[in-house]
Amino acid sequence: MSSYYITTPIYYVNARPHLGHAYTTFVADALKRFHLLAGEEARMLTGTDEHGDKIVKAAAAAGQSPQEFVDGISGEFQALWPRLGIEHDQFIRTTDPAHKASVQALLQRIYDKGDIYFGEYGGHYCFGCERFYTEKELENGLCPQHQTKPEYISEKNYFFKMSRYQGWLKRHILDHPDFIRPERYRNEVLAMLDGGVLEDLCISRPKTRLTWGIELPFDRDYVCYVWFDALANYISALGWPDGEGDPGGLYARFWPGEHLVAKDILKPHGVFWPTILKAADLPVYGHLNVHGYWLVRDTKMSKSLGNVVDPLKAAEYFGLDAFRYFLLREMHFGSDASFSDESVTTRINADLANDLGNLFSRVLSMNGKYFDGKIPPLGNPEEDDDVLAELTGSAALNYVQLFRQVRFSQALEALWEPIRAMNKYVDAQAPWSLFKEGNTERLSTVMRTLLEAMYKVARLLWPVMPGASAAMQEQLGRPLRAEAFRPDALDDLLQCRVHLRSGVEIARASNLFPRLETPAAPARPGKAKPHKEVKAAPAQAESAQAADVADAKAPIEFADFQKLDLRVGTILKAERHPHADRLLRLDVDLGEDKPRQIVSGIAAFFEPESLAGKQVVVVANLPPRTLRGLESQGMILSAEWADGLALLTAPAPNGARVN
Ligand code: ME8
């Protein structure tokens, strides 16, 4: 039996799980399920990345020890995945003792080979990314990811001779066209390798500066650089090095596997990791699958903009399967995609409620009426029936090929061709007329042709919508069982036209994907889904319905609310942010000695000239933050709904307190 191993990044525990983490993890889960469906032995790994400066700082800010802090957030990730229907086989934490031992073994092996040396280095270090940047990589002197100024650090450290493997890596990428995919990211890595000699990788941090890490086995005064530690998780999770010589062990069975990451961590995965593996004489991974970023209405998700999407709330609101479908269908793997309540609702209503759900509902209810809910015989198919069966067969084949190439959106698009064709076929064959005419033989062939095509689609959708797929298969009288995962089962599904048994009783009704109200439409009282918080007064219920799921928040204590220092102010001047289209730079008079500079993400809603003189409400006691290079000394409050934004205002003198 062939085997398949897919990994997600191990997520940093300095932020709560959000839509981006959920997307990668959904995709990994879908890939694992797809390979199970193809009769393979499939394994999925996810986990948390818990060492490094960044975590120490976040723990200190939360008033906790690093261990307490990492236990808390790692626990949130662990609790979330099952609630999102993710079936990973293992959750690794870099603070696990077995992982630590494995990292030390990897370091020792490369050290013994002579590929780790001691030297001095000065460089621009971004604490957000936990890595040094070269001058060339910085944008206007700022970290390209965080738009913050890196710190210049110079110290003695251990280095991995990465440059030694540069030529090998380039050849490997050229010889294996889909080693890094899609192609744009392969080209990006090739460009990194063509841009001059690779700098050797600093793989240690002196304990005088950082103790929260894995000790180097050959020098106790140093801990391991967090990226070296983190990347090793992909093999430490398989028991390496212990399982190396054991053909029955996880390492021998599942390595080399393939990785799933977003574009933000292309370099560590595309350059550091393969060269580390090569230096340790280990086989490199099979594929690095790189996806783009989820934006929220074309804006980067960020805590400061308050637009971070909570995946659990979204799944509860839209339905878990529908939400998964949206994410896999909407993002063209490799490119960025935009999330908004409207885009999810439109997609779910069109593809799931109208096309797929409606097909199941009408066909099953007709079959209930015409054949007492039993599967009718196929009889003698005519040309139209053959055309539909062939279209379904070729779309299914396309779907499978595209899925293997991680082109999920195109795969689903291919599968929707027969779904739409089935709805047209129903209209063209008009089973109700055949019934009226008493043409039972033809009616039987039409209904059976439909049921068979629906079954094929239902089973293929299992990786994307496991719950709905299982429900559809059950409705069609052939529930999902272990036999669907036999090595020959997928070929059988693709090649054969008949999978159902005549006479078997099937569902007479189906309501898989209820239509969602479009967010812009006024909510009718009592109509909003209970899991979406609509606790606003009746007059506000409309906009509460329209607001993003991101906005629903857990209750807080009154004492927490009292911590806010809200003040009335007047905007004196507003202008565009020099480095960010979405942001405005404002001078706001809060009745203090001098106006405050506030950077606000409202550029899409206001012309700067229109803002001077406006009264606003400001959160005045937030610590200053740098947004794209400009310090923001507070936050302006606004109300946002589906297609608008209004600034909160109060007719009071500058500096007046808002209670
Ligand atoms: O980088 N859209 O962890 P991390 C899509 N610990 N995916 C997103 C996203 C977005 N807006 N935001 C985050 C780290 N992601 C390291 C990884 S691996 C050895 C160490 C997803 O918590 C995406 O998968 O910053 C991205 O690569 C990952 O979260 C970064 O997670």
Side-chain angles (χ1 to χ4, degrees):
M1 189 190 270
S2 61
S3 68
Y4 176 79
Y5 176 46
I6 184 75
T7 68
T8 72
I10 46 171
Y11 304 112
Y12 284 131
V13 288
N14 63 342
R16 310 214 116 83
H18 60 59
L19 173 69
H21 306 123
Y23 172 74
T24 316
T25 315
F26 277 140
V27 171
D29 180 74
L31 279 168
K32 176 192 156 180
R33 289 174 192 268
F34 176 81
H35 285 267
L36 285 176
L37 210 56
E40 294 168 45
E41 187 185 20
R43 185 172 182 85
M44 172 186 162
L45 173 73
T46 188
T48 40
D49 188 355
E50 306 186 2
H51 289 129
D53 300 291
K54 198 150 86 165
I55 307 299
V56 174
K57 286 194 171 148
Q64 289 178 318
S65 72
Q67 191 64 54
E68 274 172 338
F69 181 78
V70 297
D71 286 349
I73 302 207
S74 178
E76 281 190 37
F77 277 95
Q78 289 179 60
L80 174 66
W81 301 137
R83 296 182 72 184
L84 289 177
I86 305 280
E87 291 190 357
H88 51 286
D89 298 272
Q90 192 179 351
F91 188 99
I92 190 165
R93 299 182 58 183
T94 52
T95 47
D96 291 340
H99 170 76
K100 292 185 189 173
S102 179
V103 170
Q104 288 178 327
L106 188 61
L107 285 163
Q108 190 68 53
R109 185 181 280 197
I110 299 175
Y111 183 75
D112 291 345
K113 234 187 121 183
D115 279 343
I116 289 177
Y117 64 91
F118 195 53
E120 179 143 19
Y121 182 75
H124 305 278
Y125 194 75
C126 171
F127 284 90
C129 300
E130 300 267 21
R131 58 169 278 213
F132 283 104
Y133 277 96
T134 60
E135 294 273 355
K136 232 175 22 191
E137 285 174 316
L138 299 177
E139 283 172 7
N140 304 322
L142 303 179
C143 159
Q145 292 289 337
H146 294 88
Q147 296 298 323
T148 48
K149 196 166 163 44
E151 210 168 291
Y152 191 84
I153 292 180
S154 173
E155 61 196 10
K156 285 205 151 165
N157 265 310
Y158 286 89
F159 291 84
F160 163 52
K161 284 187 194 161
M162 197 157 71
S163 51
R164 193 167 160 189
Y165 298 96
Q166 183 168 1
W168 163 81
L169 180 58
K170 186 173 170 192
R171 267 192 318 279
H172 188 83
I173 296 175
L174 291 174
D175 290 347
H176 300 84
D178 57 3
F179 178 62
I180 299 173
R181 60 188 179 185
E183 202 183 351
R184 60 198 284 187
Y185 297 111
R186 171 182 192 255
N187 293 338
E188 261 186 49
V189 173
L190 282 173
M192 291 173 201
L193 297 174
D194 281 338
V197 178
L198 275 183
E199 285 191 35
D200 287 345
L201 184 65
C202 175
I203 52 119
S204 65
R205 298 289 177 266
K207 275 197 188 161
T208 47
R209 184 154 74 77
L210 175 77
T211 51
W212 185 242
I214 300 174
E215 206 170 74
L216 297 189
F218 41 81
D219 190 338
R220 303 198 142 211
D221 292 335
Y222 284 83
V223 294
C224 177
Y225 167 47
V226 66
W227 265 107
F228 190 100
D229 162 359
L231 289 162
N233 93 90
Y234 300 132
I235 55 170
S236 76
L238 296 174
W240 187 89
D242 291 347
E244 209 171 357
D246 166 16
L250 288 177
Y251 175 77
R253 266 159 57 212
F254 289 104
W255 190 254
E258 58 183 83
H259 305 308
L260 200 55
V261 296
K263 60 184 184 181
D264 55 335
I265 49 178
L266 177 62
K267 187 168 182 185
H269 285 83
V271 179
F272 304 173
W273 182 225
T275 52
I276 290 171
L277 285 165
K278 183 70 184 162
D281 291 322
L282 295 172
V284 285
Y285 53 77
H287 298 287
L288 177 64
N289 304 299
V290 188
H291 63 78
Y293 252 40
W294 277 101
L295 305 172
V296 172
R297 292 209 173 90
D298 300 326
T299 306
K300 200 168 171 182
M301 260 191 291
S302 86
K303 253 204 229 160
S304 60
L305 291 177
N307 64 352
V308 177
V309 176
D310 177 335
L312 193 58
K313 291 211 174 88
E316 283 169 353
Y317 181 62
F318 296 111
L320 176 56
D321 283 295
F323 178 51
R324 274 176 76 121
Y325 171 81
F326 168 81
L327 294 177
L328 270 86
R329 175 66 181 83
E330 194 75 8
M331 178 174 266
H332 280 242
F333 197 86
S335 308
D336 291 349
S338 169
F339 181 97
S340 69
D341 275 9
E342 302 89 273
S343 57
V344 188
T345 306
T346 307
R347 170 71 67 196
I348 291 178
N349 281 348
D351 296 4
L352 299 181
N354 284 2
D355 293 342
L356 182 61
N358 191 29
L359 174 72
F360 267 73
S361 149
R362 66 204 291 220
V363 172
L364 290 176
S365 85
M366 281 191 285
N367 198 67
K369 190 163 160 204
Y370 308 149
F371 294 104
D372 199 22
K374 300 210 171 62
I375 297 181
L378 185 58
N380 297 314
E382 296 179 2
E383 197 188 333
D384 286 354
D385 316 326
D386 293 342
V387 168
L388 183 67
E390 273 156 32
L391 176 71
T392 311
S394 63
L397 210 62
N398 264 341
Y399 171 84
V400 166
Q401 279 164 356
L402 289 162
F403 220 97
R404 278 194 201 285
Q405 296 163 11
V406 298
R407 296 168 67 195
F408 311 108
S409 180
Q410 293 89 339
L412 288 164
E413 205 175 339
L415 206 58
W416 250 251
E417 236 189 280
I419 294 172
R420 294 199 186 100
M422 282 183 246
N423 275 316
K424 286 198 187 125
Y425 173 91
V426 172
D427 298 338
Q429 301 299 324
W432 46 90
S433 303
L434 298 170
F435 181 67
K436 242 194 225 155
E437 291 157 13
N439 190 350
T440 312
E441 206 182 317
R442 178 72 195 135
L443 180 60
S444 167
T445 303
V446 166
M447 296 309 293
R448 181 63 178 266
T449 301
L450 282 163
L451 293 170
E452 291 291 349
M454 283 156 61
Y455 176 75
K456 199 169 263 188
V457 166
R459 206 157 112 193
L460 288 172
L461 279 174
W462 186 68
V464 180
M465 297 191 282
S469 160
M472 288 187 272
Q473 294 179 65
E474 176 117 29
Q475 289 175 357
L476 292 169
R478 190 173 165 188
L480 184 65
R481 299 242 161 79
E483 60 183 25
F485 303 104
R486 283 200 323 241
D488 56 348
L490 184 60
D491 281 346
D492 178 71
L493 181 71
L494 293 174
Q495 280 155 24
C496 301
R497 177 158 167 183
V498 175
H499 299 277
L500 303 174
R501 276 220 327 260
S502 304
V504 168
E505 186 133 7
I506 61 174
R508 290 155 186 264
S510 169
N511 184 18
L512 292 162
F513 306 104
R515 259 191 96 73
L516 298 170
E517 267 181 60
T518 35
R524 272 171 279 146
K527 264 283 184 180
K529 293 204 170 190
H531 38 252
K532 175 144 183 171
E533 273 183 70
V534 185
K535 54 186 176 195
Q540 294 167 323
E542 192 169 317
S543 51
Q545 169 79 356
D548 271 279
V549 279
D551 297 341
K553 293 193 177 122
I556 56 163
E557 296 298 327
F558 182 65
D560 286 331
F561 171 71
Q562 280 182 311
K563 289 182 195 156
L564 289 175
D565 186 8
L566 301 175
R567 302 281 173 161
V568 174
T570 303
I571 299 178
L572 303 178
K573 185 175 172 199
E575 58 190 16
R576 296 197 182 280
H577 191 296
H579 312 301
D581 293 344
R582 300 266 145 197
L583 301 177
L584 293 183
R585 194 201 70 77
L586 313 169
D587 289 328
V588 183
D589 183 355
L590 292 183
E592 299 167 318
D593 298 343
K594 56 182 180 90
R596 292 212 194 180
Q597 169 168 283
I598 296 183
V599 179
S600 178
I602 55 174
F605 300 91
F606 300 102
E607 283 307 315
E609 305 73 62
S610 70
L611 289 173
K614 270 216 160 49
Q615 272 188 307
V616 287
V617 176
V618 171
V619 186
N621 61 338
L622 286 171
R625 267 188 70 96
T626 305
L627 292 171
R628 295 288 188 123
L630 287 185
E631 186 176 90
S632 183
Q633 300 156 341
M635 194 175 104
I636 299 228
L637 292 183
S638 61
E640 194 179 354
W641 63 98
D643 43 15
L645 180 142
L647 296 178
L648 254 66
T649 179
N654 292 339
R657 192 185 288 278
V658 180
N659 293 310

